[in-house]
Amino acid sequence: MIIDTVVYSFDPRNAPAARVDSGAILSFRTKDCFSDRIGSENQLINDLDLSLGMNPATGPVYVEGACPGDILRVDILDVVPAGRGVVCSIPGCGPLHDTAETRTRVLETENGFAEFNGVRFALDPMIGVIGCTPAEPIPTGWVGDHGGNLDCKLVKKGASLYCPVYVAGALFQLGDVHAVMGDCELCGTGLEIPAVVTVRLTLMKGRSIPYPVLETQEKWYTLAHAKTYDEAVTLTAGAMQQLLMQAYGWDATDAFLYLSLQGDVEICQACVPCSIDMILRCGVPKQPGRPLL
Ligand code: CA
Ligand code: CA
């Protein structure tokens, strides 16, 4: 099954694009964050009519039996970008914006590589916008406790994202694929590109988490967002502390001490100044036979 309906909000009133059972494998055809409307380097972000919104997501998908308080496990089976990618500087956005013109660069992608001014580098496709729909509508360009515009470069093929479920059916959706992006997304855009994303959706009944949790080949990560680093690091480390306490039976102090030894706090997106929150992740190594979820 391939889904190509695009929406600009996580909104419980959005009609499902598909209904599936837990365990279903399905594909999403995604548009880039500009709804594929930038075709040349002569087009600047200022020229776009953004009244519809940014960062369209494909979906939503209704998962039969999903209820508020469950977790939806999303195994990312493949992320296949297609064609050209676009990177833009955005007026007033990112720590170096004072030094930069508003510029669009269009990069061809071929055989897993792109080239920028003669410098060639490997693509590492990732999903920028992903999550289940919260009870209150939120634009797809924003980040929230549900996920949304997480811009975490580890949300890619081979990883699993565990998403809190807030409404009946979960109403899962994703979009905003980047062919490649650095941590922090300094100028506010990755290599924005249309793609086809294939996932398996599995319901975990009766398990709940406050924020999305990511499982990679090597690590577990909690993801959290806030306006400032102080708030974001407290939320993301606190979420990992809770996971460790529940999974390992530790008290808060031991979880705190262990996090100082084995927990890495990393930046997903923090292109300050920016109108959306920064997103941090806190990761700990996986231990054989001792999953955190
Ligand atoms: Ca994004
Ligand atoms: Ca993006």
Side-chain angles (χ1 to χ4, degrees):
M1 178 188 300
I2 187 153
I3 295 159
D4 50 19
T5 307
V6 162
V7 293
Y8 289 85
S9 62
F10 286 81
D11 188 330
R13 296 166 298 189
N14 285 342
R19 299 177 80 101
V20 301
D21 291 323
S22 176
I25 292 175
L26 61 166
S27 297
F28 297 70
R29 193 184 308 282
T30 60
K31 292 183 186 290
D32 76 17
C33 71
F34 310 112
S35 306
D36 301 344
R37 288 176 299 164
I38 293 186
S40 86
E41 297 191 341
N42 297 325
Q43 283 177 282
L44 303 179
I45 191 164
N46 317 36
D47 303 333
L48 291 180
D49 173 8
L50 299 176
S51 54
L52 256 184
M54 288 274 288
N55 289 15
T58 301
V61 171
Y62 188 104
V63 181
E64 300 290 352
C67 298
D70 295 338
I71 293 172
L72 186 67
R73 173 180 168 148
V74 183
D75 299 318
I76 302 167
L77 305 180
D78 212 355
V79 182
V80 182
R84 92 289 174 271
V86 177
V87 59
C88 299
S89 43
I90 304 168
C93 178
L96 308 181
H97 72 90
D98 276 347
T99 68
E101 299 170 3
T102 303
R103 182 175 296 167
T104 297
R105 297 298 311 273
V106 176
L107 309 186
E108 295 302 325
T109 63
E110 245 182 34
N111 302 322
F113 283 84
E115 194 175 295
F116 186 94
N117 293 348
V119 176
R120 195 170 134 88
F121 47 86
L123 306 181
D124 192 10
M126 53 152 284
I127 302 165
V129 169
I130 187 166
C132 298
T133 298
E136 294 297 320
I138 181 170
T140 46
W142 294 11
V143 64
D145 294 352
H146 66 297
N149 197 4
L150 286 169
D151 282 331
C152 174
K153 72 177 187 183
L154 304 182
V155 178
K156 63 180 185 176
K157 180 178 178 176
S160 298
L161 188 70
Y162 298 80
C163 300
V165 174
Y166 304 93
V167 300
L171 298 181
F172 171 81
Q173 53 198 34
L174 61 79
D176 186 33
V177 166
H178 303 156
V180 67
M181 186 195 92
D183 277 338
C184 199
E185 199 184 24
L186 277 169
C187 85
T189 53
L191 190 56
E192 311 290 339
I193 196 162
V196 175
V197 178
T198 302
V199 301
R200 178 173 46 236
L201 301 178
T202 308
L203 206 48
M204 296 167 67
K205 296 295 292 179
R207 304 290 305 274
S208 70
I209 41 176
Y211 310 114
V213 171
L214 182 69
E215 180 184 5
T216 67
Q217 295 301 312
E218 297 85 23
K219 287 190 178 189
W220 291 94
Y221 291 91
T222 48
L223 299 158
H225 67 98
K227 274 279 167 265
T228 66
Y229 171 81
D230 296 26
E231 298 168 279
V233 73
T234 303
L235 291 175
T236 187
M240 182 55 81
Q241 182 186 39
Q242 288 296 321
L243 277 190
L244 290 167
M245 290 166 67
Q246 287 160 16
Y248 294 173
W250 294 348
D251 71 2
T253 305
D254 270 355
F256 184 29
L257 297 180
Y258 177 75
L259 278 174
S260 195
L261 305 178
Q262 290 285 280
D264 289 319
V265 174
E266 299 162 1
I267 295 172
C268 298
Q269 194 273 93
C271 59
V272 290
C274 177
S275 54
I276 65 169
D277 285 1
M278 69 173 63
I279 302 106
L280 300 182
R281 58 180 183 262
C282 179
V284 297
K286 288 164 82 169
Q287 299 295 333
R290 303 189 74 180
L292 293 192
L293 275 179

